[in-house]
Amino acid sequence: GFRPEGAEKAFMSPIQESFSADGSRYAYGDIGGAAGLGVYRGEEESGGLRFTYSADEHLHFDVWTFNIWETGLDHYDDWFYGVMANYNIPDSPSAIQFLVQNSSNDSDANQVWTIGPGVDYWWDNLEIYGEFYYQFGEYGYSGALTGGRDGDIEQEAWATYLGARYNFDMACTPWVDVQYAYISGDQGDHDDDDDENNDFVSYEDNDSLMILEDNLYGLDVDSNYWKIQLNTGIVLSLQNEKDLTISLTYAYAEIVTTPDRLDLTDGAASLSLAEPLGHEVDLKFVWQYSDSLTFDMSWAGLFDGEFWASGDNTFGAVGGGGIDGDGHNRINDNMFIISVGATVRF
């Protein structure tokens, strides 16, 4: 990403997912699983090559090819490759970029392209940043759907991320950062020939929210949602100069397109899912004790997350909570996380 501070990345990592020749788990998997609602995305380890070419001191190109999923069958292997152009504006910390990238599984009918620009512009202490990605191509191949249905699945999706940050020239070096993100989604009701998938698929690494987005301890919501987020913080000197960072984050998020079916056919019973993912508040303390040792303590709360507790006693199974003895979902619309950690670097 361009930004050295603030949210984890101003630019979502341009790595697409295609779990198998059938496309993503969301569009063609059973909705009873944790990956079946379009808001969860799994992780895969990748291996490959990346090359960087510098045309001059301002213009740079990254070219890569990676294998995300390796199997015994070529048509189930998962590859992505692409090029990223970065231009650093002379005499300024500002920069612009442009991405062209392809994800495929060695099948002509499973080729997803992602293209889009990004900008990180500085004007004195004000930073304005953003990105826009558009996806197109073939999401699945003929016969991928169960039940003998036929037809290629077109991919058309998009994602955008916009924000502004202001750094104050005063004691404690406070900052304020406002962000908006929109990642398209799909209701998952694919039963027509020559259908279209609108779920933006990516291996993004935007974990700026501890509960909703974090992929280690949180819910790992990665797609089919929008959010507005406010960050603020200060930097203090505890033992060394500017070694303690205190930050506070508020965000509100909703589902973009609510999944409305239990299986792959029209007419299935509605899950009656609510759209609000909830209001989240994160408070973080990070103390850089030394160059090799950092301590952190965080608290996060998610409130009024109606989506997580909705579903006519069906959705509880998705999150692993299931139904209690009274027939109620064990998943609550309020959640909390407390984290205390230490990081050692050698």
Side-chain angles (χ1 to χ4, degrees):
F2 282 149
R3 307 181 62 226
E5 298 178 274
E8 181 171 304
K9 287 189 178 181
F11 290 86
M12 289 178 286
S13 181
I15 307 172
Q16 308 314 305
E17 70 169 359
S18 179
F19 289 94
S20 71
D22 299 343
S24 85
R25 297 173 183 173
Y26 169 40
Y28 307 114
D30 294 334
I31 203 169
L37 285 169
V39 294
Y40 294 96
R41 293 295 172 195
E43 281 190 39
E44 307 298 346
E45 296 296 328
S46 62
L49 298 172
R50 188 185 77 171
F51 303 92
T52 299
Y53 171 74
S54 297
D56 54 38
E57 60 179 324
H58 302 294
L59 182 60
H60 310 277
F61 296 91
D62 286 319
V63 180
W64 64 86
T65 176
F66 280 86
N67 186 349
I68 297 296
W69 185 274
E70 180 67 43
T71 71
L73 301 174
D74 287 343
H75 66 280
Y76 274 90
D77 292 347
D78 191 358
W79 289 83
F80 79 97
Y81 46 90
V83 58
M84 176 85 77
N86 295 274
Y87 181 74
N88 301 316
I89 299 175
D91 303 320
S92 170
S94 303
I96 58 176
Q97 73 172 27
F98 193 85
L99 166 75
V100 177
Q101 182 256 308
N102 177 272
S103 177
S104 76
N105 67 342
D106 295 332
S107 169
D108 292 338
N110 197 340
Q111 300 272 344
V112 175
W113 289 89
T114 303
I115 62 173
V119 63
D120 186 31
Y121 179 74
W122 285 85
W123 181 32
D124 293 331
N125 292 346
L126 176 64
E127 179 189 14
I128 301 174
Y129 56 91
E131 62 172 330
F132 179 85
Y133 290 144
Y134 173 68
Q135 283 185 344
F136 62 95
E138 298 290 339
Y139 186 68
Y141 66 94
S142 179
L145 295 175
T146 59
R149 287 183 292 274
D150 202 354
D152 292 336
I153 311 301
E154 302 290 332
Q155 173 74 5
E156 185 170 15
W158 62 282
T160 188
Y161 191 105
L162 304 171
R165 171 178 170 135
Y166 189 82
N167 300 312
F168 295 90
D169 286 330
M170 55 189 302
C172 303
T173 58
W175 76 87
V176 175
D177 185 270
V178 180
Q179 307 167 12
Y180 174 79
Y182 183 103
I183 306 175
S184 68
D186 198 290
Q187 67 178 4
D189 194 5
H190 293 271
D191 71 336
D192 298 323
D193 291 347
D194 300 318
D195 207 345
E196 182 177 89
N197 178 63
N198 304 123
D199 189 41
F200 189 86
V201 288
S202 70
Y203 278 130
E204 56 76 43
D205 192 25
N206 183 32
D207 296 332
S208 61
L209 297 176
M210 290 179 60
I211 297 179
L212 283 177
E213 295 176 333
D214 189 85
N215 62 349
L216 185 59
Y217 300 112
L219 296 168
D220 195 24
V221 176
D222 290 338
S223 65
N224 192 20
Y225 76 110
W226 66 265
K227 70 171 182 175
I228 185 167
Q229 182 171 325
L230 174 64
N231 309 302
T232 187
I234 58 175
V235 180
L236 303 174
S237 298
L238 189 61
Q239 176 173 290
N240 302 307
E241 184 177 2
K242 296 183 177 180
D243 60 349
L244 177 63
T245 301
I246 304 174
S247 62
L248 178 66
T249 297
Y250 165 79
Y252 175 75
E254 284 192 5
I255 287 289
V256 169
T257 304
T258 306
D260 67 351
R261 51 48 160 172
L262 289 170
D263 50 53
L264 302 178
T265 61
D266 258 341
S270 173
L271 287 177
S272 300
L273 297 173
E275 294 182 355
L277 294 172
H279 303 262
E280 180 164 339
V281 178
D282 297 354
L283 178 62
K284 300 180 181 180
F285 298 83
V286 179
W287 180 29
Q288 187 172 345
Y289 179 80
S290 66
D291 291 339
S292 58
L293 179 59
T294 301
F295 298 98
D296 63 86
M297 182 173 63
S298 305
W299 175 92
L302 181 68
F303 308 95
D304 298 327
E306 298 176 26
F307 177 82
W308 309 105
S310 63
D312 291 344
N313 295 330
T314 301
F315 179 68
V318 176
I323 309 303
D324 62 20
D326 297 324
H328 301 133
N329 287 316
R330 291 195 177 101
I331 295 180
N332 201 301
D333 57 356
N334 297 324
M335 310 176 197
F336 303 92
I337 288 180
I338 297 177
S339 173
V340 178
T343 302
V344 178
R345 295 180 177 88
F346 298 95

